[in-house]
């Protein structure tokens, strides 16, 4: 084994070696721990303000057990934690900032390998992005989903149940006091959202990319086997350091193709599009929107989970989890079987014998839950650089639609008018929301699934075409066109849409079009002015450098990687 990176600190027999070791010894570490054994960083996103990751100190203890057993030296360190529910303006605004924290924390410290503890939506991509730019041996470990919510004898899914209950309140079918009763019932154990929202989707992506041990995505947070997986991940990362098995050997083009296909098969979140493109950008793997449509849109959704279906992550785990899905994909010739994973086996070696225990939850490739269910990419004069749509969560009768635009200039404008009984809107209209993209919000809020007007909900309308430059919660559903690029705040054509215009959606043709002639659009463009730059701070840096959604919304100067070497050393 080549000399370990950590020995550049701890192996020195000089004044600086004294300094590096002696200060560490204030924690009680004996001298022999600095003898050249692998130092494993445990990158922890624990925070009481990130409830989905609130159990991560316990999880880290199990990782440490495994590291000790394998002869490594575990050192836990905190990084910025991004909680989806509390953080304003939106956790996505900080994904790239957290990735910088991760990257520089890894690069600047004496570690040879890293275990990434990830749970709530943005903690997964931010850690993968930051670690990928350093490219040490790295293993991902998700915190696991919560147990199924239970309310009045029925399952209640994170997010999805909330949207559904408030639709019933708005239509007059349910009292608000009854909704509040469900607060303690929806989230009753540690873990992340237990629908196939963004957190569960990204945990599946970690596993499909080969970045975790098999089974990572679905084991509930409270199941003892989650701790076992943590311990096994601790053991394995020490071996990975000895094998010099770095992230760049795992995160290949083939691995990303597997992730795209897996996302289709699980009915995963549209957020995965942005995150996978951003992660690929860090390792230098070319990946674009068209890859999602070409590889995923024709694939079936095999998993009957909310928000596209009815079951929850606990059911998915008992049914066999992602290995059972990957086995179906592999049998259906929709898996790069040779893709390497963190356990040094190919993904097919890991899943070829994976059992499925419940065919209601995980359907066979030949008899899927939904056909042609992956991410679809739309283009046209309204979205020259693309927009995305999750077909599995849309209404089939709206996939070809032409309607009158009802435009909201911002999410505040939307909130101020949507409940107005006098709003000129019916179910044939197309709801258009502007200025919620990466720059516009800023941070690209999850507001693309605009709630329908109460007067239409009372009529029994359950879905309408909605289009925006925003994102949508992975737990949400509907015929919703998202991530329109370029966004309105960057001067994209979306900025020029006015109420009364006609919008055409034709999913089969992959078209989203504004039926307004070029001369009229040019006149409107002459009147358009860009929003002012924020005055200072992170918001200024972010708005000046964030890329558009179709490029992954990373900061332009963070794309790529620089390895784990530190060019300069002040000592
Ligand atoms: Fe954390 Fe949903 S709020 S995963």
């Amino acid at each position: 084994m080549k000399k370990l990176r950590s020995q550049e600190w701890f192996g020195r027999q000089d004044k600086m070696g004294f300094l590096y070791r002696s200060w560490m010894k204030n924690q009680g570490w004996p001298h022999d721990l600095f003898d050249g054994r692998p130092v494993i960083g445990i990158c922890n996103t624990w925070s009481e303000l990130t409830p989905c990751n609130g159990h991560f100190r316990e999880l880290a203890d199990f990782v440490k057990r495994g590291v000790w057993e394998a002869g490594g030296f575990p050192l836990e360190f905190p990084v910025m934690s991004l909680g989806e529910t509390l953080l304003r303006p939106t956790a996505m605004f900080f994904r790239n900032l957290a990735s910088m924290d991760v990257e520089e924390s890894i690069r600047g410290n004496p570690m040879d390998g890293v275990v990434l503890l990830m749970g709530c939506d943005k903690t997964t991509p931010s850690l993968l992005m930051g670690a990928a730019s350093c490219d040490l041996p790295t293993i991902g470990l998700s915190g696991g989903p919560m147990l199924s919510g239970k309310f009045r004898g029925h399952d209640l899914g994170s997010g999805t149940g909330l949207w559904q209950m408030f639709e019933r309140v708005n239509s007059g079918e349910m009292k608000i006091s009854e909704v509040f009763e469900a607060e303690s019932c929806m989230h009753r154990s540690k873990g992340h959202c237990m629908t196939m929202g963004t957190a569960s989707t990204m945990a599946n992506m970690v596993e499909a990319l080969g970045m975790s041990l098999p089974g990572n995505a679905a084991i509930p947070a409270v199941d003892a086997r989650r701790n076992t997986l943590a311990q096994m991940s601790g053991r394995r990362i020490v071996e990975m350091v000895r094998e010099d098995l770095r992230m760049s050997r795992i995160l290949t083009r083939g691995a990303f193709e597997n992730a795209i296909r897996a996302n289709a098969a699980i009915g995963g979140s549209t957020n995965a599009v942005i995150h996978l493109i951003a992660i690929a950008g860090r390792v230098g793997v070319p990946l674009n929107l068209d890859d999602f449509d070409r590889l995923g849109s024709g694939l079936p959704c095999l998993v009957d989970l909310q928000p596209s279906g009815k079951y929850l992550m606990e059911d998915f785990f008992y049914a066999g989890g992602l290995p059972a899905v990957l086995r179906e994909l592999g049998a259906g010739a929709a898996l790069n079987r040779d893709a390497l994973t963190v356990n040094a086996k190919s993904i097919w070696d890991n899943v070829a014998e994976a059992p499925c225990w419940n065919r209601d939850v995980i359907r066979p490739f030949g008899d899927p839950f939904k056909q042609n269910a992956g991410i679809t990419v739309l283009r046209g004069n309204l979205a020259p650089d693309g927009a995305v749509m999750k077909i599995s969560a849309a209404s089939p009768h709206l996939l070809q639609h032409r309607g009158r635009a009802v435009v909201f200039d911002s999410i505040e404008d939307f909130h101020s008018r949507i409940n107005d009984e006098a709003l000129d809107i019916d179910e044939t209209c197309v709801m258009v929301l502007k200025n919620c993209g990466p720059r516009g919000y800023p941070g690209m809020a999850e507001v693309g699934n605009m709630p329908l007007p109460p007067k239409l909900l009372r009529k029994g309308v359950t879905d309408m075409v909605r289009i925006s430059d925003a994102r949508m919660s992975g737990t949400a559903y509907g015929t919703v066109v998202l991530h329109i690029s370029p966004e309105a705040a960057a001067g994209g054509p979306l900025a020029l849409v006015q109420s009364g215009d006609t919008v055409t959606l034709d999913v089969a043709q992959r078209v989203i079009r504004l039926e307004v002639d070029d001369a009229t659009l040019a006149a409107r463009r002459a009147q358009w002015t860009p929003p002012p730059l924020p005055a200072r701070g992170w918001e200024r840096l972010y708005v000046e450098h964030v890329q558009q959604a179709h490029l992954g919304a990373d900061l332009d100067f963070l794309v790529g990687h620089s390895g784990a070497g530190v060019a300069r050393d002040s000592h």
Side-chain angles (χ1 to χ4, degrees), residues 408-417 433-436 441 445-448 450-451 470:
F408 302 96
D409 283 324
S410 66
I411 191 63
E412 291 78 16
D413 181 33
F414 170 80
H415 287 312
S416 71
R417 294 197 286 133
L433 176 62
K434 303 178 182 178
N435 295 308
C436 290
Y441 189 65
E446 286 187 334
V447 293
M450 292 166 264

Side-chain angles (χ1 to χ4, degrees), residues 118-136:
M118 316 175 280
C120 199
D121 297 14
K122 305 304 175 298
T123 57
T124 300
S126 61
L127 266 57
L128 287 172
M129 290 162 68
S133 287
C134 289
D135 197 24
L136 285 178

